[in-house]
Amino acid sequence: MTVDASMEADTGGAPPTAGDARRTDGLSFAVRGVTMLGQLVLPLGFLAFSIAKDEKMGALAFFAPIVIAIIAFNFAIAYASWRRFTYTVGEADIRVESGLLSRSARAVPYERIQDVSLEQKFLPRLLGLTEVRFETGAGGKDEITLRYLSEAEGERLRELVRSQKLGETVGAPTLGDMPSEPPVLFAMGPKRVLTFGLFEFSLAVVAVVAGAAQQFDFLLDFDIWEWREWQRLLAGPGGWLLALGVVGQVIAGALAIASLLLLGLVTGLVRTALREWDFRLERTDKGLRRRRGLLTRTDVVMPVHRVQALRIGTGIVRRLFGW
């Protein structure tokens, strides 16, 4: 069925029906505008810092209008993109049309869709929105993502697509047709998540800080990779250590290693808590459903017949506790 422009009506919160061209939720363009703006925070911040550092007050007076114009432009582009994006639940496939200056259309047959997953980042989650992904296993342009739908509509669309994929009667399932609380096979409370995080040592934050420092080293007054510069900076607060000679260097090295270990431990705890918070594995009619995440909430269902193996692993320390 060809999607006609006259069909591109915003049907609001009505359940998706096969053959109708629809837009995503009306708040989607606002989320996209804020996301696009977030990518400009660092460049604009460094620009403002450079202007203030050079005491170019005349240039700083023009900075605020430029920022306002950039914000307005971002939201205008986001709104235009939202208006020009539609998706259609057809009898044999899912189709999307998008593009401002040049239009593109893409369709994925139901037999190629392996799963439909839901993901909620922090801001969409506050607004009750979810991102719907139609996964084909091929990745890239072969997959379709809808940003963003309401939580109820995303769940109904997932059930509708699965019903059509299985050859069941096409319809829009209501929330009353789905179990409100499926059986929980495994769950992790805050204590278990934090215990898990103790074994997820990570120094990723060190790599991020080092990469950022390398990219923006022009804002610093010294070379961060020059050891003598650090000795000069630490000569004041750490002078008593340097006065101890070799002993001081050993103590400084031990403190540095301890700081790295503490940083890696805290980083592992934070990363694990953000990823695994409120972890729930449930058994549903469609398969195994996994929900997890603090800021970004993911909701994935894997059909049981797709499970090929179960792998069990442990570590040296965890094995001592029988985990």
Side-chain angles (χ1 to χ4, degrees):
M1 182 182 298
T2 303
V3 178
D4 185 74
S6 62
M7 298 174 58
E8 297 182 358
D10 188 359
T11 55
T17 307
D20 289 343
R22 300 168 55 87
R23 294 192 183 95
T24 55
D25 192 276
L27 294 175
S28 299
F29 84 91
V31 176
R32 180 173 180 180
V34 172
T35 303
M36 294 169 60
L37 188 62
Q39 299 173 356
L40 298 175
V41 169
L42 283 179
L44 291 177
F46 284 118
L47 178 60
F49 177 79
S50 300
I51 294 175
K53 184 178 180 180
D54 296 338
E55 299 182 353
K56 299 178 180 179
M57 301 308 296
L60 192 61
F62 291 99
F63 184 72
I66 292 176
V67 172
I68 295 175
I70 291 176
I71 294 175
F73 179 75
N74 274 346
F75 277 90
I77 293 296
Y79 179 77
S81 299
W82 171 76
R83 292 283 302 179
R84 297 290 286 170
F85 183 95
T86 60
Y87 68 95
T88 305
V89 181
E91 296 180 358
D93 55 23
I94 292 285
R95 284 158 287 171
V96 298
E97 288 193 358
S98 61
L100 294 177
L101 300 180
S102 60
R103 299 287 289 170
S104 64
R106 189 166 72 255
V108 176
Y110 292 123
E111 59 266 19
R112 290 184 54 194
I113 298 178
Q114 296 184 1
D115 192 22
V116 182
S117 61
L118 307 179
E119 180 176 304
Q120 290 180 295
K121 292 182 172 61
F122 181 68
L123 181 57
R125 189 177 179 185
L126 290 179
L127 300 175
L129 303 178
T130 186
E131 176 181 305
V132 183
R133 294 181 180 179
F134 301 94
E135 302 174 3
T136 62
K141 295 183 178 180
D142 290 333
E143 296 186 350
I144 291 179
T145 301
L146 302 180
R147 305 185 179 96
Y148 295 89
L149 305 179
S150 66
E151 295 177 358
E153 185 174 352
E155 186 65 39
R156 286 194 294 260
L157 182 58
R158 176 162 68 176
E159 294 299 319
L160 175 62
V161 171
R162 285 173 176 167
S163 298
Q164 292 184 332
K165 179 178 173 62
L166 296 174
E168 299 174 0
T169 303
V170 177
T174 61
L175 293 179
D177 296 333
M178 293 177 286
S180 57
E181 196 66 31
V184 178
L185 301 179
F186 180 74
M188 289 198 294
K191 182 179 179 180
R192 183 177 287 270
V193 170
L194 294 180
T195 303
F196 182 16
L198 292 175
F199 299 94
E200 294 295 301
F201 183 88
S202 174
L203 291 177
V205 66
V206 176
V208 172
V209 172
Q214 186 175 6
Q215 291 295 325
F216 303 104
D217 57 352
F218 61 91
L219 297 176
L220 302 176
D221 296 329
F222 67 97
D223 186 2
I224 63 173
W225 307 112
E226 180 59 43
W227 170 244
R228 294 180 181 177
E229 293 289 343
W230 286 102
Q231 284 184 316
R232 178 179 62 83
L233 291 175
L234 296 175
W240 65 275
L241 278 177
L242 297 179
L244 296 178
V246 177
V247 176
Q249 294 179 1
V250 172
I251 296 176
L255 291 176
I257 294 175
S259 300
L260 283 177
L261 292 176
L262 179 60
L263 181 61
L265 180 64
V266 173
T267 303
L269 283 170
V270 172
R271 290 182 60 192
T272 304
L274 292 176
R275 183 183 69 245
E276 307 291 349
W277 192 263
D278 194 23
F279 182 100
R280 298 175 65 85
L281 181 65
E282 302 164 337
R283 178 62 184 265
T284 68
D285 294 338
K286 303 297 182 181
L288 302 176
R289 181 183 188 182
R290 186 206 67 194
R291 289 183 287 177
R292 66 178 183 179
L294 181 60
L295 299 181
T296 298
R297 188 75 172 166
T298 58
D299 186 341
V300 179
V301 178
M302 174 179 287
V304 177
H305 68 269
R306 285 182 54 195
V307 179
Q308 298 181 1
L310 176 65
R311 182 172 61 89
I312 300 177
T314 184
I316 297 177
V317 179
R318 280 177 284 189
R319 188 164 58 244
L320 298 178
F321 292 92
W323 295 340

